[in-house]
């Protein structure tokens, strides 16, 4: 892989590499990048991976090669403390919000000694904390050069360091935010670098469609109303009825949520293919959208002529205009455009219009930009497709002509891992399937003293399985060995994984972690800590998801088979990701269980199996128990006899 990357740098070409677990893909692109002497931009999937790459892998390769390099870490604007918004937060908080006042006190104290301003440094601060939007900025509310703290700004400091660095580490969200708005600072870096590397490239399309689309959320609207009131009273008190302007926008945002007609506890996505979202009265929906547009227009009119009183008011006015334009774009998408439109219900409401994929945008806005043709592009991940052409990835991002390479994992999967598909498990469509998975997984986990990760395809299954396991754990006789049940959502992902690791150490009680979504990837637990991965169903995309439905409709309109071209490749990649959680080093041993009989009984199951590592096959319940007993016998970290 390193030789292929070096050749790509020499030829200034695009290279797509699927590198199996254990290949060491990070070192394989870092070494030739450093040896080339050129400037490099590396983008990875998450901020956690960014920190790992910048703090561990990059320094290690620099030391090994004896090549000093100036390196920089650049995150999105909302990852850094905004000194101006921290000062303004006192005006935005209500007296009764004591918890937020306490956090603001802690952040103000921390701000006096931090060098980077990276909010990840604040002790005990959860990445979902309510205080964060009040002390960080976004593209919408950043004042830019008009900010009174512009010279001391932590974001600007990070950008200056990036401009002077040989290697800059960013993440996909920041990269696409820059593509979408061209003002985050990375736009100045891309034309000047010789090499761009996308690590964990399999996430590019899904992250890209988020940023290349258009969104209006109740959060955007309520934040705008709050800032209108606060900055209006602070800088232009008496010149407008700021309370009425803010209240009008808040009311319009709330009425739009009511027009959906769903209970406040309702969550999920609603297709918006025609005049109104699925199940919503078209006339009521149109009236609510009209009222929201009128409220934004009224706010824009009210801000006209007074925005010069402060940079904050000027930015509020700009945000109001931008939201009005976004709302119009969502209401009236281009005819025959390859887009999907939906409404998402959660803690608030979100109106979304996105492209079906990033192929066209990536070609025109990234690869074909000024200066880009002289740049080398490397895309790599452990899972990029189910064929040698890696077509699942290359078609989505418009790289059909790129050079591709598949590098197999060096692990001996036949010796290290076994695959079991329980032959008597109910079919996935059977109402009793999830309960059967819970019961079987609990028994298997008990046999090996925990060390089990249960991956589900839905959050509903997470809750059902976790509730069942928690009940069984609580029913155990006091004083006996009882497994701990860890559940996605109980704590941030990083903290849950730390708890799971601790539970697998000698003397600990052992644990089962039940999760979905992001836990199918980004879980790296080498050694004996994780020895059993249980997958409840084949991870086909949910057909009722609006984006999935739009992609299906487009493929069928073109005369293709949505199952062959979309559902099967998506499932193959996701299944490979989930299976990849099991064996993380050459010393690991474990069992992968897929509780879906379709993997053995359906014709397409052979294609899915072919995409998995060549594990030995377990054919019966008795053989499965034998595999588990063998793990207990050979595991050095066994903390207690089986439950």
């Amino acid at each position: 892989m390193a030789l292929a990357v070096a050749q790509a740098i020499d030829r200034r070409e695009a290279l797509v590499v699927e590198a199996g677990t254990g290949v060491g893909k990070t070192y394989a692109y870092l070494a030739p990048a450093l040896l080339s002497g050129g400037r490099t931009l590396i983008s990875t999937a998450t901020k956690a991976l960014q920190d790992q790459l910048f703090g561990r892998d990059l320094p290690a390769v620099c030391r090994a090669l004896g090549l000093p390099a100036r390196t920089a870490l650049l995150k999105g604007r909302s990852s850094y403390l905004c000194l101006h918004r921290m000062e303004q937060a006192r005006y935005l908080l209500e007296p009764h919000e004591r918890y937020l006042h306490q956090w603001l006190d802690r952040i103000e104290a921390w701000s006096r000694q931090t060098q980077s301003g990276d909010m990840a440094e604040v002790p005990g601060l959860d990445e979902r904390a309510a205080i964060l939007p009040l002390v960080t900025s976004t593209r919408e509310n950043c004042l830019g050069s008009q900010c009174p703290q512009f010279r001391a700004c932590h974001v600007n400091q990070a950008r200056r360091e990036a401009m002077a660095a040989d290697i800059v580490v960013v993440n996909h969200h920041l990269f696409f935010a820059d593509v979408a708005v061209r003002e985050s600072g990375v736009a100045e870096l891309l034309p000047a670098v010789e090499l761009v590397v996308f690590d964990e490239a399999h996430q590019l399309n899904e992250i890209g469609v988020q940023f290349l689309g258009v969104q209006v959320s109740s959060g955007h609207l309520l934040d705008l109303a709050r800032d209108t009131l606060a900055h209006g009273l602070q800088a232009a008190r008496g010149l407008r009825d700021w309370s009425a302007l803010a209240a009008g926008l808040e009311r319009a945002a709330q009425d739009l949520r009511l027009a959906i007609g769903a209970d406040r506890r309702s969550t999920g996505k609603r297709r918006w293919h025609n005049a109104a979202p699925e199940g919503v009265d078209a006339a009521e929906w149109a009236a609510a959208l009209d009222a929201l547009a009128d409220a934004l227009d009224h706010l824009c009119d009210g801000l006209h002529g007074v925005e010069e009183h402060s940079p904050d008011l000027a930015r509020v006015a700009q945000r109001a205009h931008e939201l009005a334009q976004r709302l119009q774009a969502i209401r009236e998408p281009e005819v025959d455009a390859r887009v999907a439109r939906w409404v998402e219900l959660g803690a608030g409401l979100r109106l979304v219009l996105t492209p079906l994929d990033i192929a066209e945008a990536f070609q025109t806005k990234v690869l074909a930009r000024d200066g880009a043709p002289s740049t080398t592009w490397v895309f790599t991940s452990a899972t990029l497709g189910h064929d040698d052409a890696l077509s699942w990835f290359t078609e989505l991002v418009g790289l059909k002509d790129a050079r591709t390479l598949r590098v197999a994992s060096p692990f001996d999967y036949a010796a290290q891992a076994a695959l079991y598909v329980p032959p008597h498990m109910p079919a996935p469509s059977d109402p009793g399937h999830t309960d059967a998975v819970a019961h079987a997984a609990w028994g298997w986990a008990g046999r090996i003293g925990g060390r089990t990760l249960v991956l589900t395809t839905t959050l509903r299954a997470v809750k059902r399985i976790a509730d069942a396991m928690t009940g069984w754990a609580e029913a155990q006789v006091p004083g006996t060995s009882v497994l701990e049940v860890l559940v996605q959502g109980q704590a941030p992902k990083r903290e849950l994984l730390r708890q799971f690791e601790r539970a697998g150490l000698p003397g600990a009680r052992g644990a089962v972690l039940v999760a979905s979504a992001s836990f199918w990837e980004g879980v790296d637990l080498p050694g004996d800590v994780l020895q059993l991965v249980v997958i409840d169903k084949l991870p086909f995309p949910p057909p009722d998801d609006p984006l999935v439905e739009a992609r299906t409709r487009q493929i069928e309109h073109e005369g293709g088979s949505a199952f062959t071209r979309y559902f099967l490749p998506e499932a193959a990649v996701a299944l490979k990701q989930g299976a990849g959680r099991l064996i993380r080093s050459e010393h690991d041993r474990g069992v992968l269980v897929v509780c879906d009989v379709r993997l053995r009984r359906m014709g397409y199951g052979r294609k899915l199996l072919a995409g998995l590592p060549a594990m030995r096959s377990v054919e019966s319940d008795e053989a499965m128990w034998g595999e588990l007993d063998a793990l207990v016998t050979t595991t050095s970290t066994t903390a207690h006899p089986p439950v």
Side-chain angles (χ1 to χ4, degrees), residues 9 53 56 59 77 87 112 166 226 345 370 400 410 422 493 512 544 547 569 577 589 615:
I9 294 173
L53 179 62
R56 187 189 73 182
R77 185 184 283 107
E87 293 173 352
R112 291 189 283 272
D166 301 309
R226 181 196 63 201
L345 300 171
D370 293 341
K400 293 181 181 180
K493 180 178 179 180
V512 179
D544 57 348
L547 185 55
Q577 278 285 346
R589 296 179 70 251
M615 306 176 186

Side-chain angles (χ1 to χ4, degrees), residues 273-331:
H273 186 45
N274 296 309
E278 188 177 43
V280 178
D281 182 83
E284 291 184 14
W285 182 248
L289 288 173
D290 288 341
L292 177 57
D294 290 343
L296 286 168
D297 288 342
H298 187 49
L299 178 58
C300 290
D301 291 341
L303 288 163
H304 183 68
V306 297
E307 64 262 44
E308 69 273 8
H309 282 71
S310 78
D312 290 294
L313 269 184
R315 193 68 186 100
V316 165
Q318 188 175 355
R319 287 163 61 190
H321 282 289
E322 289 175 354
L323 279 172
Q325 291 172 353
R326 282 194 240 165
L327 180 63
Q328 181 65 20
I330 295 173
R331 292 188 70 177

